[in-house]
Short mmCIF file of all heavy atoms in Angstrom, two decimals:
data_model
loop_
_atom_site.label_atom_id
_atom_site.label_comp_id
_atom_site.label_asym_id
_atom_site.label_seq_id
_atom_site.Cartn_x
_atom_site.Cartn_y
_atom_site.Cartn_z
N ASP A 1705 6.21 78.34 -93.08
CA ASP A 1705 6.56 77.40 -94.15
C ASP A 1705 6.97 76.01 -93.62
O ASP A 1705 6.95 75.05 -94.33
CB ASP A 1705 7.77 77.94 -95.00
CG ASP A 1705 7.37 79.16 -95.75
OD1 ASP A 1705 6.16 79.39 -95.87
OD2 ASP A 1705 8.28 79.91 -96.17
N ARG A 1706 7.30 76.01 -92.34
CA ARG A 1706 7.74 74.74 -91.77
C ARG A 1706 6.57 73.75 -91.65
O ARG A 1706 6.75 72.54 -91.64
CB ARG A 1706 8.41 74.90 -90.41
CG ARG A 1706 9.62 75.87 -90.41
CD ARG A 1706 10.84 75.25 -91.04
NE ARG A 1706 11.37 74.20 -90.24
CZ ARG A 1706 12.20 73.28 -90.69
NH1 ARG A 1706 12.60 73.28 -91.98
NH2 ARG A 1706 12.65 72.34 -89.91
N ALA A 1707 5.38 74.35 -91.46
CA ALA A 1707 4.15 73.53 -91.39
C ALA A 1707 4.36 72.31 -90.47
O ALA A 1707 4.65 72.46 -89.32
CB ALA A 1707 3.63 73.19 -92.78
N GLU A 1708 4.22 71.11 -91.11
CA GLU A 1708 4.27 69.87 -90.25
C GLU A 1708 5.65 69.66 -89.65
O GLU A 1708 5.79 68.75 -88.79
CB GLU A 1708 3.87 68.68 -91.09
CG GLU A 1708 2.32 68.52 -91.26
CD GLU A 1708 1.76 69.31 -92.45
OE1 GLU A 1708 2.57 70.04 -93.12
OE2 GLU A 1708 0.58 69.26 -92.68
N LEU A 1709 6.66 70.43 -90.08
CA LEU A 1709 7.97 70.27 -89.50
C LEU A 1709 8.24 71.30 -88.40
O LEU A 1709 9.36 71.55 -88.01
CB LEU A 1709 9.04 70.38 -90.58
CG LEU A 1709 9.04 69.20 -91.54
CD1 LEU A 1709 10.09 69.45 -92.67
CD2 LEU A 1709 9.35 67.90 -90.81
N GLY A 1710 7.16 71.89 -87.90
CA GLY A 1710 7.28 72.80 -86.77
C GLY A 1710 7.47 72.03 -85.51
O GLY A 1710 7.40 70.82 -85.46
N PRO A 1711 7.74 72.79 -84.40
CA PRO A 1711 8.00 72.13 -83.09
C PRO A 1711 6.67 71.59 -82.46
O PRO A 1711 5.62 72.07 -82.79
CB PRO A 1711 8.65 73.18 -82.26
CG PRO A 1711 8.12 74.45 -82.84
CD PRO A 1711 7.91 74.21 -84.29
N ARG A 1712 6.84 70.68 -81.54
CA ARG A 1712 5.71 69.97 -80.98
C ARG A 1712 4.72 70.86 -80.23
O ARG A 1712 3.52 70.70 -80.31
CB ARG A 1712 6.16 68.81 -80.06
CG ARG A 1712 6.81 67.73 -80.85
CD ARG A 1712 7.49 66.71 -79.95
NE ARG A 1712 8.07 65.66 -80.77
CZ ARG A 1712 8.81 64.66 -80.31
NH1 ARG A 1712 9.03 64.56 -79.02
NH2 ARG A 1712 9.27 63.76 -81.13
N ASP A 1713 5.26 71.80 -79.45
CA ASP A 1713 4.38 72.64 -78.62
C ASP A 1713 3.41 73.42 -79.51
O ASP A 1713 2.19 73.52 -79.29
CB ASP A 1713 5.17 73.55 -77.69
CG ASP A 1713 6.14 74.43 -78.40
OD1 ASP A 1713 6.56 74.13 -79.53
OD2 ASP A 1713 6.52 75.52 -77.83
N MET A 1714 3.99 73.96 -80.61
CA MET A 1714 3.13 74.83 -81.51
C MET A 1714 2.10 74.01 -82.23
O MET A 1714 0.99 74.44 -82.41
CB MET A 1714 4.05 75.57 -82.48
CG MET A 1714 4.94 76.60 -81.77
SD MET A 1714 6.08 77.36 -82.90
CE MET A 1714 5.73 79.05 -82.60
N ILE A 1715 2.46 72.83 -82.70
CA ILE A 1715 1.53 72.01 -83.45
C ILE A 1715 0.43 71.48 -82.53
O ILE A 1715 -0.74 71.45 -82.89
CB ILE A 1715 2.26 70.89 -84.19
CG1 ILE A 1715 3.18 71.53 -85.25
CG2 ILE A 1715 1.27 69.95 -84.84
CD1 ILE A 1715 3.99 70.57 -86.05
N SER A 1716 0.76 71.09 -81.31
CA SER A 1716 -0.24 70.62 -80.35
C SER A 1716 -1.25 71.75 -80.08
O SER A 1716 -2.48 71.51 -79.97
CB SER A 1716 0.40 70.15 -79.03
OG SER A 1716 1.05 68.90 -79.27
N ARG A 1717 -0.76 72.98 -79.88
CA ARG A 1717 -1.66 74.10 -79.66
C ARG A 1717 -2.56 74.33 -80.92
O ARG A 1717 -3.77 74.54 -80.77
CB ARG A 1717 -0.83 75.39 -79.41
CG ARG A 1717 -0.30 75.54 -78.00
CD ARG A 1717 0.11 76.93 -77.70
NE ARG A 1717 1.32 77.36 -78.42
CZ ARG A 1717 2.57 77.11 -77.99
NH1 ARG A 1717 2.77 76.42 -76.91
NH2 ARG A 1717 3.62 77.55 -78.70
N ALA A 1718 -1.97 74.23 -82.07
CA ALA A 1718 -2.75 74.41 -83.25
C ALA A 1718 -3.87 73.40 -83.36
O ALA A 1718 -5.01 73.73 -83.75
CB ALA A 1718 -1.83 74.30 -84.52
N GLU A 1719 -3.58 72.16 -82.95
CA GLU A 1719 -4.64 71.15 -83.01
C GLU A 1719 -5.77 71.47 -82.08
O GLU A 1719 -6.97 71.37 -82.41
CB GLU A 1719 -4.11 69.75 -82.65
CG GLU A 1719 -3.16 69.20 -83.78
CD GLU A 1719 -2.58 67.83 -83.46
OE1 GLU A 1719 -2.99 67.21 -82.46
OE2 GLU A 1719 -1.74 67.38 -84.22
N ILE A 1720 -5.47 71.91 -80.86
CA ILE A 1720 -6.53 72.27 -79.89
C ILE A 1720 -7.33 73.42 -80.46
O ILE A 1720 -8.55 73.49 -80.36
CB ILE A 1720 -5.90 72.66 -78.52
CG1 ILE A 1720 -5.10 71.49 -77.94
CG2 ILE A 1720 -6.98 73.12 -77.54
CD1 ILE A 1720 -5.91 70.35 -77.48
#
Side-chain angles (χ1 to χ4, degrees):
Chain A
D1705 294 343
R1706 302 286 292 162
E1708 282 86 357
L1709 292 176
R1712 291 172 178 175
D1713 57 336
M1714 292 175 127
I1715 295 180
S1716 288
R1717 280 196 290 277
E1719 289 180 7
I1720 300 289

